[in-house]
Amino acid sequence: MSEAATPQTPEEKPASEAVNTTPTPPVKPARNGAATGLAAFALLIGLAGAGAGGWSLWQLQQMQSRDQQQAEALQRTRDDSAKQLQGLARQLDARLAELPSAAELNERRRLLANLQSDQQRLSQRLESVLDGSRQDWRLDEAEHLLRLASLRLSALQDVASAEALVLTADDILREQDDPAAFAAREQLSRSLEALRTTQRPDRVGLFLQLGALREQAATLNPLAPTFEGQGDVLSDLAAEGDGSAWWGEWVKKLSEYFRIEFDADRNVRPLLSGQSLSQVRLSLSLALEQAQWAALHGQTGVYRQALKQAEEILDAHFNLDNPDSRALRQRFAELADATVEVKVPDLSDSLDALQAYLHRKQAQRRQGAAAAEEAQ
């Protein structure tokens, strides 16, 4: 206890204090409250420091645990890597053990070089052989085209097709780019110019025209005579009596089957009907068909003979007073002068020149092959 807190009696008080009877306020209680606040504040600070220290300690433990886990994972990774390296090393050792030695590698390099040289030499020979074979094929094709052109000229007189075939053969020789083919190309050029200046009749058009005439001939009918009263006996009989129409009709009907001609200068042709008319139409159609065949094949004699036969059939069995018969007869005369045969040029010289060039080419190739074999 302090001195201020000790109670004093009036006898023990000094004289100065005895005179002052007013009591003074206590000072110690105020100091005690401030000390309590300071102590509480210090306590709070201590608690906060302790909490911060505990939290820091917990964080430190967590970091240590994570570091330990990472270290363990790193160690496991190192162990796995070491195992993989050991496995790869064993595999590499095994592969290295399988590899040949230096002497074997040198021997294999030498064999590979020899194989490459042999392969290159064989490829060159194969390329030369294939090139020669390809040229031979093309030249054989040109010869075949010339033979085909000559055949079409001799059999069908087809100038257009022959010209196209000869032109193709000349293109094949031009692709060869061989000076030795000059003579063959010169002869082919002569044949081409001869074909280009050759007359080319329109045989297809003539064939179609004859076909149209065949269709008209199939529908051709004879001109039947009609009864016309000109003062003859039948007309007088028809005029007698009461003039009834039945007698005139009978006379007209009979006039279609019976004809009385008093003009001896005119030839009387029999009337065609039924099977006879069909046979005449068939004969006329066959004659025109033969003319068509002759027009396509360029047979002038057969063509004109067929048209002449058609004219004779038309004159013998059909009346030219009929406009259809007269027009058909006129067309026959016009088409008889048409040109169906032409003088085609001869391609034998071109074929001989090409064959001579082929023989020379083959002889040169055989000599080259023999020289190459001797060099090897």
Side-chain angles (χ1 to χ4, degrees), residues 73-87:
L74 182 61
Q75 186 63 32
R76 287 195 299 271
T77 304
R78 290 177 179 176
D79 295 339
D80 296 338
S81 300
K83 292 179 180 179
Q84 292 179 357
L85 289 176
Q86 291 177 359

Side-chain angles (χ1 to χ4, degrees), residues 130-164:
L130 290 178
D131 188 25
S133 300
R134 189 179 300 108
Q135 291 180 359
D136 292 340
W137 295 339
R138 293 290 288 171
L139 292 176
D140 292 340
E141 182 182 359
E143 182 182 3
H144 175 71
L145 291 176
L146 275 182
R147 291 182 181 275
L148 185 59
S150 179
L151 180 61
R152 293 191 69 88
L153 284 178
S154 60
L156 301 177
Q157 296 183 356
D158 190 356
V159 181
S161 299
E163 179 184 353

